């Protein structure tokens, strides 16, 4: 900062001198152009919009070639960003084009945080560039810039204005990237409906304070065309890579039963205006705005988090080493403080755990003693019942033996009584014979 002020003071004191002849440094712009052309350029486009709104087709239409892209599904669980890089060449100018698509955007039931993966991706690219910039051995001249230079936000033509998701996402993106809103598949609505939709969209963006990219009007060469195009937001676009026959010529368009939509006809859509403004007239301004505005904001916030800050004009200049050491000491103190806090928290946690374990041990011991007493009582009760049962069994056995003895005697008595009866019976029947014998003897 101080050096810039000194340089400004010196420039005020210097006089403008005229040369007496041709020196040659007027060829410096040509040298710079030749070096840049030989090196090539990078341009990165982020396409944000719902699945099936025509993002891939529009990219192919803008650059006049078909880009291979994986077809996205409507059933993505979360928003995923897919990046593809292509090497293009037009005449002698080489362009490394990177197109980033948002797969699954707006397809979830809960879209509250759909914008977060997009912001994370943009910040990640800024982080990569900052890491390369802060390296001791860096090669920014040959480094392929990964930062997003423009975001084409695709708005659905269905409806009468913006959705809540569109407003929230564009509000989050406005400070991160050059934001250009476009209406995708604009051929599905009538001209009057399209005109009303454009007006409603711009009114809502203005009401909610969403800042979109404005084409620069400082340069006199492009001030007029950029001023007129700034009134055309959002661009109503139609993409197509198919050739249709219109009269005796073939053009890019879409054929319908009622007629054909020519994508490069300004009466049908704004594709030509978008291509002119995006690629032919303002591509370098988009790259410059990305570096000087959005990246500088990210870089300043990051360096302030790291402890670096600019000094006031009246204060002394700071040393980078001193700032680093001060930040390092501050981080060490914070680390020690956190370590001590964690140690104390660990000790307290251990004490609490020990107290809980002791309490539980005491409860378990009391429970054990209680169960022991119950076991002893139950054992005593069972012993008493066993003794009673044994006494009952002994008494039963005695009664059984007595009953068996009585039964044996009864059975024996029953068995002897029939024998006596048989003997008496035999004696009875033998008496007549004896009597007859006696009578015979007497008669003789």
């Amino acid at each position: 900062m101080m050096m810039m002020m000194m340089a400004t003071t010196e420039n005020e004191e210097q006089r403008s001198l005229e040369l007496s002849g041709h020196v040659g440094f007027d060829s410096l712009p040509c040298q710079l152009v030749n070096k840049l052309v030989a090196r090539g350029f990078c341009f990165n486009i982020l396409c944000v919009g719902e699945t099936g709104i025509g993002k891939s087709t529009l990219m192919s239409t803008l650059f006049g070639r078909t880009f291979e892209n994986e077809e996205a599904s409507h059933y993505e669980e979360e928003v995923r960003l897919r990046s593809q890089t292509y090497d293009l060449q037009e005449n002698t100018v080489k362009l490394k084009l990177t197109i980033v698509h948002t797969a699954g955007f707006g397809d979830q039931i809960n879209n509250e945080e759909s914008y977060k993966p997009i912001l994370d991706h943009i910040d990640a690219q800024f982080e990569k560039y900052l890491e390369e910039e802060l390296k001791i051995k860096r090669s920014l001249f040959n480094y392929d810039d990964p930062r997003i230079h423009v975001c084409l936000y695709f708005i659905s033509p269905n409806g009468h204005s913006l959705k809540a998701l569109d407003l929230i996402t564009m509000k989050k993106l406005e400070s991160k990237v050059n934001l250009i809103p476009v209406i995708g598949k604009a051929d599905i609505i009538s001209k009057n409906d399209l005109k009303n939709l454009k007006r409603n969209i711009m009114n809502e963006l203005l009401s909610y304070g969403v800042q979109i990219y404005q084409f620069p009007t400082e340069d006199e060469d492009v001030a007029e065309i950029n001023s007129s195009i700034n009134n055309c937001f959002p661009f109503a676009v139609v993409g197509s890579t198919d050739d249709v026959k219109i009269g005796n010529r073939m053009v890019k368009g879409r054929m319908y039963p009622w007629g054909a939509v020519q994508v490069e006809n300004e009466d049908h859509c704004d594709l030509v205006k978008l291509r002119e403004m995006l690629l032919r007239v303002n591509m370098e301004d988009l790259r410059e705005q990305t570096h000087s505005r959005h990246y500088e904001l990210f870089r300043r916030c990051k360096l302030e988090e790291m402890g670096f800050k600019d000094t006031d004009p009246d204060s002394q200049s700071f040393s980078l080493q001193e700032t680093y050491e001060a930040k390092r000491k501050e981080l060490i103190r914070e680390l020690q403080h956190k370590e001590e806090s964690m140690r104390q928290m660990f000790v307290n946690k251990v004490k609490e755990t020990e107290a809980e374990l002791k309490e539980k041990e005491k409860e378990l011991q009391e429970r054990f003693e209680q169960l022991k007493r119950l076991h002893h009582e139950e054992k005593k009760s069972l012993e008493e019942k066993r003794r009673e049962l044994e006494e009952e069994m002994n008494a039963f056995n005695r009664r059984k033996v007595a009953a068996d003895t009585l039964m044996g005697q009864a059975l024996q008595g029953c068995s002897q009584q029939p024998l006596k009866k048989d003997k008496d019976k035999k004696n009875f029947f033998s008496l007549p014979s004896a009597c007859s014998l006696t009578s015979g003897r007497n008669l003789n």
Side-chain angles (χ1 to χ4, degrees), residues 374-409:
L374 291 175
H375 175 70
H376 180 70
E377 292 174 358
E378 289 180 358
K379 184 178 179 181
K380 185 177 179 181
S381 175
L382 290 174
E383 289 290 338
E384 184 70 23
K385 289 180 180 180
R386 185 173 66 84
R387 189 176 66 255
E388 293 177 357
L389 182 60
E390 288 179 352
E391 291 177 356
E392 291 179 0
M393 289 177 65
N394 293 333
F396 175 77
N397 290 332
R398 288 194 297 270
R399 289 195 298 270
K400 182 180 178 183
V401 170
D404 291 342
T405 303
L406 291 175
M407 184 64 69
Q409 291 176 357

mmCIF file of all heavy atoms in Angstrom, residues 374-409:
data_model
loop_
_atom_site.group_PDB
_atom_site.id
_atom_site.type_symbol
_atom_site.label_atom_id
_atom_site.label_comp_id
_atom_site.label_asym_id
_atom_site.label_seq_id
_atom_site.Cartn_x
_atom_site.Cartn_y
_atom_site.Cartn_z
ATOM 1 N N LEU A 374 -32.555 -63.623 49.787
ATOM 2 C CA LEU A 374 -33.704 -64.324 49.226
ATOM 3 C C LEU A 374 -33.363 -65.777 48.924
ATOM 4 O O LEU A 374 -34.164 -66.695 49.166
ATOM 5 C CB LEU A 374 -34.161 -63.615 47.949
ATOM 6 C CG LEU A 374 -34.796 -62.224 48.132
ATOM 7 C CD1 LEU A 374 -35.074 -61.597 46.769
ATOM 8 C CD2 LEU A 374 -36.095 -62.327 48.945
ATOM 9 N N HIS A 375 -32.140 -65.987 48.421
ATOM 10 C CA HIS A 375 -31.704 -67.351 48.127
ATOM 11 C C HIS A 375 -31.617 -68.187 49.401
ATOM 12 O O HIS A 375 -32.045 -69.365 49.427
ATOM 13 C CB HIS A 375 -30.348 -67.305 47.426
ATOM 14 C CG HIS A 375 -29.742 -68.657 47.179
ATOM 15 N ND1 HIS A 375 -30.245 -69.544 46.255
ATOM 16 C CD2 HIS A 375 -28.679 -69.281 47.777
ATOM 17 C CE1 HIS A 375 -29.537 -70.645 46.269
ATOM 18 N NE2 HIS A 375 -28.568 -70.521 47.181
ATOM 19 N N HIS A 376 -31.071 -67.570 50.461
ATOM 20 C CA HIS A 376 -30.945 -68.295 51.720
ATOM 21 C C HIS A 376 -32.321 -68.643 52.282
ATOM 22 O O HIS A 376 -32.552 -69.769 52.751
ATOM 23 C CB HIS A 376 -30.161 -67.454 52.728
ATOM 24 C CG HIS A 376 -29.974 -68.109 54.054
ATOM 25 N ND1 HIS A 376 -29.143 -69.206 54.241
ATOM 26 C CD2 HIS A 376 -30.522 -67.835 55.280
ATOM 27 C CE1 HIS A 376 -29.185 -69.573 55.507
ATOM 28 N NE2 HIS A 376 -30.017 -68.752 56.163
ATOM 29 N N GLU A 377 -33.244 -67.685 52.225
ATOM 30 C CA GLU A 377 -34.588 -67.928 52.728
ATOM 31 C C GLU A 377 -35.286 -69.009 51.900
ATOM 32 O O GLU A 377 -35.964 -69.893 52.445
ATOM 33 C CB GLU A 377 -35.400 -66.634 52.708
ATOM 34 C CG GLU A 377 -34.894 -65.599 53.710
ATOM 35 C CD GLU A 377 -35.623 -64.283 53.571
ATOM 36 O OE1 GLU A 377 -36.494 -64.181 52.676
ATOM 37 O OE2 GLU A 377 -35.329 -63.346 54.351
ATOM 38 N N GLU A 378 -35.131 -68.917 50.596
ATOM 39 C CA GLU A 378 -35.749 -69.932 49.743
ATOM 40 C C GLU A 378 -35.129 -71.308 49.990
ATOM 41 O O GLU A 378 -35.834 -72.343 50.011
ATOM 42 C CB GLU A 378 -35.581 -69.546 48.268
ATOM 43 C CG GLU A 378 -36.431 -68.356 47.846
ATOM 44 C CD GLU A 378 -36.231 -68.007 46.393
ATOM 45 O OE1 GLU A 378 -35.401 -68.681 45.734
ATOM 46 O OE2 GLU A 378 -36.886 -67.060 45.909
ATOM 47 N N LYS A 379 -33.799 -71.340 50.206
ATOM 48 C CA LYS A 379 -33.130 -72.610 50.486
ATOM 49 C C LYS A 379 -33.622 -73.199 51.801
ATOM 50 O O LYS A 379 -33.895 -74.414 51.908
ATOM 51 C CB LYS A 379 -31.618 -72.382 50.538
ATOM 52 C CG LYS A 379 -30.833 -73.664 50.723
ATOM 53 C CD LYS A 379 -29.334 -73.374 50.713
ATOM 54 C CE LYS A 379 -28.542 -74.654 50.917
ATOM 55 N NZ LYS A 379 -27.090 -74.398 50.924
ATOM 56 N N LYS A 380 -33.765 -72.345 52.825
ATOM 57 C CA LYS A 380 -34.260 -72.797 54.125
ATOM 58 C C LYS A 380 -35.680 -73.319 54.000
ATOM 59 O O LYS A 380 -36.036 -74.367 54.570
ATOM 60 C CB LYS A 380 -34.189 -71.635 55.104
ATOM 61 C CG LYS A 380 -34.567 -72.007 56.531
ATOM 62 C CD LYS A 380 -34.388 -70.806 57.441
ATOM 63 C CE LYS A 380 -34.781 -71.173 58.869
ATOM 64 N NZ LYS A 380 -34.633 -69.993 59.784
ATOM 65 N N SER A 381 -36.480 -72.584 53.218
ATOM 66 C CA SER A 381 -37.867 -73.016 53.030
ATOM 67 C C SER A 381 -37.920 -74.353 52.305
ATOM 68 O O SER A 381 -38.721 -75.237 52.659
ATOM 69 C CB SER A 381 -38.633 -71.947 52.251
ATOM 70 O OG SER A 381 -39.939 -72.372 51.961
ATOM 71 N N LEU A 382 -37.065 -74.511 51.301
ATOM 72 C CA LEU A 382 -37.041 -75.773 50.571
ATOM 73 C C LEU A 382 -36.566 -76.923 51.441
ATOM 74 O O LEU A 382 -37.083 -78.058 51.351
ATOM 75 C CB LEU A 382 -36.138 -75.641 49.330
ATOM 76 C CG LEU A 382 -36.673 -74.754 48.202
ATOM 77 C CD1 LEU A 382 -35.621 -74.597 47.105
ATOM 78 C CD2 LEU A 382 -37.946 -75.366 47.604
ATOM 79 N N GLU A 383 -35.579 -76.663 52.327
ATOM 80 C CA GLU A 383 -35.104 -77.705 53.240
ATOM 81 C C GLU A 383 -36.224 -78.134 54.180
ATOM 82 O O GLU A 383 -36.404 -79.325 54.477
ATOM 83 C CB GLU A 383 -33.902 -77.192 54.039
ATOM 84 C CG GLU A 383 -32.638 -77.021 53.225
ATOM 85 C CD GLU A 383 -32.074 -78.365 52.818
ATOM 86 O OE1 GLU A 383 -32.378 -79.380 53.476
ATOM 87 O OE2 GLU A 383 -31.326 -78.404 51.815
ATOM 88 N N GLU A 384 -36.970 -77.153 54.688
ATOM 89 C CA GLU A 384 -38.092 -77.455 55.576
ATOM 90 C C GLU A 384 -39.143 -78.290 54.862
ATOM 91 O O GLU A 384 -39.655 -79.293 55.400
ATOM 92 C CB GLU A 384 -38.704 -76.148 56.083
ATOM 93 C CG GLU A 384 -39.828 -76.332 57.096
ATOM 94 C CD GLU A 384 -39.311 -76.858 58.422
ATOM 95 O OE1 GLU A 384 -38.095 -76.669 58.708
ATOM 96 O OE2 GLU A 384 -40.108 -77.463 59.167
ATOM 97 N N LYS A 385 -39.432 -77.890 53.619
ATOM 98 C CA LYS A 385 -40.416 -78.641 52.845
ATOM 99 C C LYS A 385 -39.910 -80.049 52.528
ATOM 100 O O LYS A 385 -40.684 -81.015 52.527
ATOM 101 C CB LYS A 385 -40.744 -77.897 51.549
ATOM 102 C CG LYS A 385 -41.545 -76.629 51.775
ATOM 103 C CD LYS A 385 -41.851 -75.933 50.452
ATOM 104 C CE LYS A 385 -42.653 -74.662 50.682
ATOM 105 N NZ LYS A 385 -42.960 -73.983 49.394
ATOM 106 N N ARG A 386 -38.601 -80.165 52.263
ATOM 107 C CA ARG A 386 -38.025 -81.476 51.970
ATOM 108 C C ARG A 386 -38.125 -82.388 53.206
ATOM 109 O O ARG A 386 -38.449 -83.583 53.112
ATOM 110 C CB ARG A 386 -36.563 -81.333 51.542
ATOM 111 C CG ARG A 386 -35.926 -82.656 51.088
ATOM 112 C CD ARG A 386 -34.549 -82.406 50.528
ATOM 113 N NE ARG A 386 -33.659 -81.931 51.555
ATOM 114 C CZ ARG A 386 -32.991 -82.716 52.404
ATOM 115 N NH1 ARG A 386 -33.145 -84.018 52.334
ATOM 116 N NH2 ARG A 386 -32.204 -82.189 53.292
ATOM 117 N N ARG A 387 -37.836 -81.819 54.391
ATOM 118 C CA ARG A 387 -37.919 -82.607 55.630
ATOM 119 C C ARG A 387 -39.358 -83.049 55.884
ATOM 120 O O ARG A 387 -39.623 -84.211 56.239
ATOM 121 C CB ARG A 387 -37.397 -81.786 56.810
ATOM 122 C CG ARG A 387 -37.254 -82.620 58.092
ATOM 123 C CD ARG A 387 -36.641 -81.828 59.213
ATOM 124 N NE ARG A 387 -37.505 -80.745 59.643
ATOM 125 C CZ ARG A 387 -37.304 -79.469 59.344
ATOM 126 N NH1 ARG A 387 -36.228 -79.116 58.630
ATOM 127 N NH2 ARG A 387 -38.130 -78.537 59.783
ATOM 128 N N GLU A 388 -40.306 -82.150 55.689
ATOM 129 C CA GLU A 388 -41.719 -82.513 55.869
ATOM 130 C C GLU A 388 -42.131 -83.599 54.883
ATOM 131 O O GLU A 388 -42.862 -84.536 55.228
ATOM 132 C CB GLU A 388 -42.590 -81.268 55.686
ATOM 133 C CG GLU A 388 -42.397 -80.231 56.783
ATOM 134 C CD GLU A 388 -43.222 -78.983 56.534
ATOM 135 O OE1 GLU A 388 -43.883 -78.933 55.463
ATOM 136 O OE2 GLU A 388 -43.204 -78.068 57.374
ATOM 137 N N LEU A 389 -41.620 -83.432 53.645
ATOM 138 C CA LEU A 389 -41.952 -84.419 52.626
ATOM 139 C C LEU A 389 -41.365 -85.791 52.973
ATOM 140 O O LEU A 389 -42.023 -86.829 52.794
ATOM 141 C CB LEU A 389 -41.452 -83.956 51.256
ATOM 142 C CG LEU A 389 -41.761 -84.851 50.064
ATOM 143 C CD1 LEU A 389 -43.288 -85.004 49.891
ATOM 144 C CD2 LEU A 389 -41.141 -84.307 48.784
ATOM 145 N N GLU A 390 -40.134 -85.809 53.500
ATOM 146 C CA GLU A 390 -39.516 -87.073 53.886
ATOM 147 C C GLU A 390 -40.300 -87.723 55.038
ATOM 148 O O GLU A 390 -40.502 -88.948 55.051
ATOM 149 C CB GLU A 390 -38.061 -86.841 54.294
ATOM 150 C CG GLU A 390 -37.153 -86.533 53.117
ATOM 151 C CD GLU A 390 -35.727 -86.276 53.563
ATOM 152 O OE1 GLU A 390 -35.501 -86.185 54.789
ATOM 153 O OE2 GLU A 390 -34.839 -86.158 52.681
ATOM 154 N N GLU A 391 -40.729 -86.890 56.015
ATOM 155 C CA GLU A 391 -41.516 -87.434 57.120
ATOM 156 C C GLU A 391 -42.825 -88.027 56.611
ATOM 157 O O GLU A 391 -43.258 -89.096 57.045
ATOM 158 C CB GLU A 391 -41.785 -86.341 58.143
ATOM 159 C CG GLU A 391 -40.531 -85.891 58.896
ATOM 160 C CD GLU A 391 -40.822 -84.760 59.862
ATOM 161 O OE1 GLU A 391 -41.997 -84.288 59.865
ATOM 162 O OE2 GLU A 391 -39.906 -84.341 60.577
ATOM 163 N N GLU A 392 -43.449 -87.281 55.668
ATOM 164 C CA GLU A 392 -44.698 -87.789 55.104
ATOM 165 C C GLU A 392 -44.452 -89.090 54.344
ATOM 166 O O GLU A 392 -45.261 -90.040 54.416
ATOM 167 C CB GLU A 392 -45.313 -86.746 54.179
ATOM 168 C CG GLU A 392 -45.840 -85.526 54.908
ATOM 169 C CD GLU A 392 -46.411 -84.504 53.942
ATOM 170 O OE1 GLU A 392 -46.378 -84.768 52.712
ATOM 171 O OE2 GLU A 392 -46.878 -83.449 54.401
ATOM 172 N N MET A 393 -43.305 -89.163 53.633
ATOM 173 C CA MET A 393 -42.977 -90.377 52.898
ATOM 174 C C MET A 393 -42.727 -91.542 53.856
ATOM 175 O O MET A 393 -43.174 -92.688 53.612
ATOM 176 C CB MET A 393 -41.749 -90.155 52.019
ATOM 177 C CG MET A 393 -42.011 -89.237 50.823
ATOM 178 S SD MET A 393 -40.519 -88.931 49.856
ATOM 179 C CE MET A 393 -40.184 -90.577 49.253
ATOM 180 N N ASN A 394 -42.016 -91.268 54.972
ATOM 181 C CA ASN A 394 -41.760 -92.337 55.955
ATOM 182 C C ASN A 394 -43.060 -92.831 56.581
ATOM 183 O O ASN A 394 -43.278 -94.050 56.757
ATOM 184 C CB ASN A 394 -40.803 -91.846 57.035
ATOM 185 C CG ASN A 394 -39.406 -91.582 56.486
ATOM 186 O OD1 ASN A 394 -39.013 -92.218 55.489
ATOM 187 N ND2 ASN A 394 -38.656 -90.687 57.109
ATOM 188 N N ALA A 395 -43.905 -91.868 56.938
ATOM 189 C CA ALA A 395 -45.197 -92.254 57.518
ATOM 190 C C ALA A 395 -46.023 -93.060 56.513
ATOM 191 O O ALA A 395 -46.668 -94.055 56.869
ATOM 192 C CB ALA A 395 -45.958 -91.000 57.955
ATOM 193 N N PHE A 396 -45.954 -92.621 55.267
ATOM 194 C CA PHE A 396 -46.684 -93.323 54.206
ATOM 195 C C PHE A 396 -46.148 -94.739 54.041
ATOM 196 O O PHE A 396 -46.919 -95.698 53.876
ATOM 197 C CB PHE A 396 -46.586 -92.533 52.903
ATOM 198 C CG PHE A 396 -47.201 -93.240 51.740
ATOM 199 C CD1 PHE A 396 -48.591 -93.265 51.575
ATOM 200 C CD2 PHE A 396 -46.407 -93.906 50.803
ATOM 201 C CE1 PHE A 396 -49.140 -93.927 50.511
ATOM 202 C CE2 PHE A 396 -46.967 -94.565 49.738
ATOM 203 C CZ PHE A 396 -48.347 -94.580 49.583
ATOM 204 N N ASN A 397 -44.805 -94.846 54.071
ATOM 205 C CA ASN A 397 -44.200 -96.182 53.931
ATOM 206 C C ASN A 397 -44.595 -97.095 55.091
ATOM 207 O O ASN A 397 -44.859 -98.279 54.907
ATOM 208 C CB ASN A 397 -42.671 -96.060 53.843
ATOM 209 C CG ASN A 397 -42.223 -95.445 52.532
ATOM 210 O OD1 ASN A 397 -42.931 -95.577 51.516
ATOM 211 N ND2 ASN A 397 -41.071 -94.794 52.530
ATOM 212 N N ARG A 398 -44.637 -96.523 56.335
ATOM 213 C CA ARG A 398 -45.044 -97.327 57.493
ATOM 214 C C ARG A 398 -46.484 -97.788 57.352
ATOM 215 O O ARG A 398 -46.824 -98.942 57.619
ATOM 216 C CB ARG A 398 -44.848 -96.539 58.787
ATOM 217 C CG ARG A 398 -43.391 -96.355 59.185
ATOM 218 C CD ARG A 398 -43.279 -95.876 60.621
ATOM 219 N NE ARG A 398 -43.886 -94.556 60.793
ATOM 220 C CZ ARG A 398 -43.249 -93.414 60.641
ATOM 221 N NH1 ARG A 398 -41.947 -93.408 60.290
ATOM 222 N NH2 ARG A 398 -43.866 -92.266 60.831
ATOM 223 N N ARG A 399 -47.329 -96.846 56.947
ATOM 224 C CA ARG A 399 -48.730 -97.215 56.750
ATOM 225 C C ARG A 399 -48.869 -98.258 55.647
ATOM 226 O O ARG A 399 -49.698 -99.161 55.720
ATOM 227 C CB ARG A 399 -49.547 -95.973 56.418
ATOM 228 C CG ARG A 399 -49.725 -95.029 57.595
ATOM 229 C CD ARG A 399 -50.844 -94.017 57.323
ATOM 230 N NE ARG A 399 -50.542 -93.186 56.178
ATOM 231 C CZ ARG A 399 -49.896 -92.033 56.234
ATOM 232 N NH1 ARG A 399 -49.460 -91.583 57.421
ATOM 233 N NH2 ARG A 399 -49.664 -91.330 55.146
ATOM 234 N N LYS A 400 -48.038 -98.108 54.622
ATOM 235 C CA LYS A 400 -48.087 -99.058 53.510
ATOM 236 C C LYS A 400 -47.668 -100.460 53.975
ATOM 237 O O LYS A 400 -48.285 -101.488 53.613
ATOM 238 C CB LYS A 400 -47.182 -98.567 52.390
ATOM 239 C CG LYS A 400 -47.213 -99.462 51.160
ATOM 240 C CD LYS A 400 -46.286 -98.923 50.081
ATOM 241 C CE LYS A 400 -46.303 -99.857 48.871
ATOM 242 N NZ LYS A 400 -45.370 -99.424 47.812
ATOM 243 N N VAL A 401 -46.591 -100.528 54.803
ATOM 244 C CA VAL A 401 -46.124 -101.837 55.309
ATOM 245 C C VAL A 401 -47.200 -102.477 56.181
ATOM 246 O O VAL A 401 -47.496 -103.687 56.090
ATOM 247 C CB VAL A 401 -44.813 -101.667 56.101
ATOM 248 C CG1 VAL A 401 -44.443 -102.956 56.839
ATOM 249 C CG2 VAL A 401 -43.686 -101.263 55.161
ATOM 250 N N ALA A 402 -47.820 -101.631 57.045
ATOM 251 C CA ALA A 402 -48.878 -102.157 57.905
ATOM 252 C C ALA A 402 -50.053 -102.650 57.076
ATOM 253 O O ALA A 402 -50.634 -103.724 57.337
ATOM 254 C CB ALA A 402 -49.314 -101.077 58.892
ATOM 255 N N ALA A 403 -50.383 -101.854 56.059
ATOM 256 C CA ALA A 403 -51.503 -102.243 55.190
ATOM 257 C C ALA A 403 -51.164 -103.530 54.451
ATOM 258 O O ALA A 403 -52.022 -104.416 54.292
ATOM 259 C CB ALA A 403 -51.815 -101.118 54.225
ATOM 260 N N ASP A 404 -49.910 -103.628 54.000
ATOM 261 C CA ASP A 404 -49.508 -104.854 53.291
ATOM 262 C C ASP A 404 -49.575 -106.066 54.230
ATOM 263 O O ASP A 404 -49.985 -107.170 53.828
ATOM 264 C CB ASP A 404 -48.087 -104.704 52.733
ATOM 265 C CG ASP A 404 -48.038 -103.696 51.599
ATOM 266 O OD1 ASP A 404 -49.113 -103.383 51.032
ATOM 267 O OD2 ASP A 404 -46.921 -103.194 51.263
ATOM 268 N N THR A 405 -49.161 -105.860 55.492
ATOM 269 C CA THR A 405 -49.201 -106.978 56.469
ATOM 270 C C THR A 405 -50.629 -107.430 56.715
ATOM 271 O O THR A 405 -50.947 -108.630 56.721
ATOM 272 C CB THR A 405 -48.549 -106.523 57.783
ATOM 273 O OG1 THR A 405 -47.212 -106.092 57.516
ATOM 274 C CG2 THR A 405 -48.520 -107.664 58.803
ATOM 275 N N LEU A 406 -51.498 -106.455 56.960
ATOM 276 C CA LEU A 406 -52.907 -106.778 57.172
ATOM 277 C C LEU A 406 -53.511 -107.459 55.958
ATOM 278 O O LEU A 406 -54.291 -108.413 56.074
ATOM 279 C CB LEU A 406 -53.681 -105.502 57.508
ATOM 280 C CG LEU A 406 -53.351 -104.872 58.874
ATOM 281 C CD1 LEU A 406 -54.103 -103.557 59.025
ATOM 282 C CD2 LEU A 406 -53.705 -105.815 60.027
ATOM 283 N N MET A 407 -53.151 -106.968 54.813
ATOM 284 C CA MET A 407 -53.661 -107.558 53.572
ATOM 285 C C MET A 407 -53.173 -108.994 53.426
ATOM 286 O O MET A 407 -53.938 -109.891 53.030
ATOM 287 C CB MET A 407 -53.197 -106.726 52.374
ATOM 288 C CG MET A 407 -53.753 -107.210 51.032
ATOM 289 S SD MET A 407 -55.539 -107.067 50.916
ATOM 290 C CE MET A 407 -55.676 -105.284 50.871
ATOM 291 N N GLY A 408 -51.893 -109.240 53.789
ATOM 292 C CA GLY A 408 -51.354 -110.604 53.702
ATOM 293 C C GLY A 408 -52.077 -111.542 54.653
ATOM 294 O O GLY A 408 -52.401 -112.684 54.297
ATOM 295 N N GLN A 409 -52.319 -111.036 55.884
ATOM 296 C CA GLN A 409 -53.005 -111.868 56.855
ATOM 297 C C GLN A 409 -54.430 -112.154 56.408
ATOM 298 O O GLN A 409 -54.931 -113.270 56.547
ATOM 299 C CB GLN A 409 -53.011 -111.166 58.214
ATOM 300 C CG GLN A 409 -51.624 -111.076 58.855
ATOM 301 C CD GLN A 409 -51.632 -110.287 60.149
ATOM 302 O OE1 GLN A 409 -52.679 -109.740 60.548
ATOM 303 N NE2 GLN A 409 -50.471 -110.232 60.822
#
